[in-house]
Amino acid sequence: MDTRLPARLGTLRQLEIFMKVAETQSIARAAEALYLSHSAVSVQIRKLAEAVGLPLHEVIGKQLYLTEAGREVVASGRELFEAIARLDGKLNDLKGLNAGSLSIAVVTTAKYFLPRILGPFCREYPGIDVAFMVGNRAQIIERLNGNRDDFYIFSDPPDNLEIDSRPFLPNPLAVVASAKNPLNRRKRLNWEDLQEQKFLLREQGSGTHITIQKHLRENGLSLGKTMVIESNEAIKYAVMADMGITILSAYVLANATEDGLAQLRVKGFPIMSHWHVVNLKSKKLSLIAERFLDFILNRSRDVLPMEHIEQQVRRALARR
């Protein structure tokens, strides 16, 4: 009987499933993300643990925790899949651009525009498989730290990592209210005019929150009443219901008329920032990744509704 670990281990799929469980800290969430049943995930995790010969996780209360063996399996699994990805990239480079994969992870607001960039790119290279992950800033930084994707999209890239960060698109942060809000009828507002409004904001640590706080500090401004909501979509619907006002990327206003939203004409706004495409400096880009980088840096404005976006920016800046 062969007692070596490679001979005992099951398929790479078992390892992939376990790594998703480790990422989500939940068998149920991993099953949902992988489009599998709860029992199917549990069976594969049990088989992998049997092959390793040690328990990989434990549940205390309702929280799932990795054992020391589980953490070692995850760390080695990442190295293994990175090696496979490098091999896949090299083989695809030899084949040309008729096959291969591209993985991109983005903060939540970027989901409003990135599909418009990915669509034309995928039509040019139909043989490429694209993985597109969306998460909050902390989740995307974790993926970046683990070198789990080819590229990451941030509005405020982390400054404590060895990364290449390239701005490619303006990201104006506007004051947004329900079209029914009485302030929308005023042609010019000062920050003081907003003090009685409740601000619906993203959580601390989000790129939008960091940029807003920096702007307020630099201009000696402060917020009044606030409510923290950890989702741009939830904030958008709360503003539509006139529960308060917010400061969000102007990309949320792409369908402002239909959504019943309005950009308030506040002095000093919008806050001007940029979207950045990011990768680790140590990342060896495949030919596919290099083509996408060129596409997003040089052609994204051609495939996005830039006229509408820039019109929103010009109108706001004209009222500063």
Side-chain angles (χ1 to χ4, degrees):
M1 178 180 178
D2 195 336
T3 59
R4 295 173 305 133
L5 181 60
R8 302 198 312 273
L9 285 177
T11 65
L12 288 175
R13 181 60 170 166
Q14 289 177 356
L15 183 56
E16 183 181 34
I17 290 171
F18 177 66
M19 290 176 69
K20 181 59 71 173
V21 170
E23 177 188 342
T24 60
Q25 298 182 305
S26 164
I27 289 177
R29 288 193 292 269
E32 182 180 359
L34 295 168
Y35 301 100
L36 296 173
S37 68
H38 188 287
S39 60
V41 171
S42 297
V43 167
Q44 295 305 314
I45 298 305
R46 187 184 73 246
K47 288 182 177 179
L48 181 61
E50 290 172 352
V52 171
L54 290 168
L56 301 179
H57 74 281
E58 57 186 355
V59 177
I60 301 175
K62 294 184 178 181
Q63 182 66 46
L64 183 146
Y65 298 91
L66 297 186
T67 63
E68 184 177 355
R71 291 191 293 272
E72 290 293 337
V73 168
V74 168
S76 296
R78 286 177 178 167
E79 293 177 5
L80 176 60
F81 282 113
E82 286 169 13
I84 292 173
R86 288 194 297 271
L87 173 61
D88 183 50
K90 291 176 181 177
L91 294 176
N92 288 319
D93 289 350
L94 293 174
K95 296 174 186 175
L97 287 172
N98 295 319
S101 60
L102 179 72
S103 178
I104 305 167
V106 309
V107 293
T108 49
T109 308
K111 71 181 181 181
Y112 290 105
F113 66 83
L114 192 63
R116 297 186 183 218
I117 297 174
L118 285 174
F121 180 77
C122 290
R123 285 193 291 274
E124 285 195 17
Y125 304 105
I128 295 172
D129 293 324
V130 177
F132 173 33
M133 275 69 66
V134 179
N136 62 35
R137 189 169 187 270
Q139 291 168 331
I140 303 306
I141 288 177
E142 181 182 359
R143 295 186 70 91
L144 173 59
N145 262 313
N147 193 26
R148 296 170 60 188
D149 308 281
D150 294 298
F151 295 110
Y152 308 84
I153 306 296
F154 289 95
S155 60
D156 186 66
D159 56 10
N160 60 341
L161 298 174
E162 290 293 319
I163 60 174
D164 285 323
S165 178
R166 309 164 186 87
F168 69 95
L169 202 64
N171 181 35
L173 299 180
V175 183
V176 181
S178 165
K180 296 178 289 187
N181 191 305
L183 293 178
N184 185 42
R185 295 194 291 269
R186 295 177 59 175
K187 293 183 178 180
R188 186 176 180 85
L189 295 163
N190 292 313
W191 183 256
E192 293 74 18
D193 297 321
L194 309 180
Q195 293 307 299
E196 296 304 312
Q197 300 289 314
K198 179 178 288 185
F199 279 87
L200 312 179
L201 300 175
R202 288 293 305 272
E203 72 282 6
Q204 288 190 10
S206 74
T208 300
H209 193 279
I210 290 170
T211 302
I212 292 170
Q213 290 298 334
K214 180 181 178 182
H215 176 82
L216 296 179
R217 284 195 306 272
E218 290 176 350
N219 291 275
L221 305 176
S222 61
L223 292 169
K225 297 172 288 186
T226 63
M227 177 187 295
V228 174
I229 302 178
E230 296 186 3
S231 160
N232 284 340
E233 283 296 302
I235 289 176
K236 178 179 175 180
Y237 284 110
V239 173
M240 288 165 59
D242 205 17
M243 291 174 57
I245 65 176
T246 189
I247 302 173
L248 281 180
S249 172
Y251 292 90
V252 177
L253 294 167
N255 299 304
T257 303
E258 294 87 341
D259 292 337
L261 297 174
Q263 179 176 314
L264 297 184
R265 305 159 184 87
V266 181
K267 182 180 179 181
F269 284 82
I271 304 170
M272 296 307 299
S273 62
H274 282 83
W275 288 106
H276 298 251
V277 57
V278 170
N279 60 273
L280 288 176
K281 281 186 179 293
S282 59
K283 184 75 172 181
K284 172 62 175 168
L285 297 181
S286 66
L287 182 59
I288 293 167
E290 288 177 352
R291 292 292 176 87
F292 178 75
L293 181 61
D294 177 73
F295 190 94
I296 199 170
L297 292 178
N298 298 307
R299 296 176 55 191
S300 57
R301 288 172 172 267
D302 298 332
V303 298
L304 287 169
M306 292 307 300
E307 182 178 350
H308 176 75
I309 292 168
E310 290 171 349
Q311 184 182 50
Q312 291 278 359
V313 175
R314 286 195 301 272
R315 284 178 176 174
L317 290 175
R319 300 184 174 98
R320 278 192 170 199

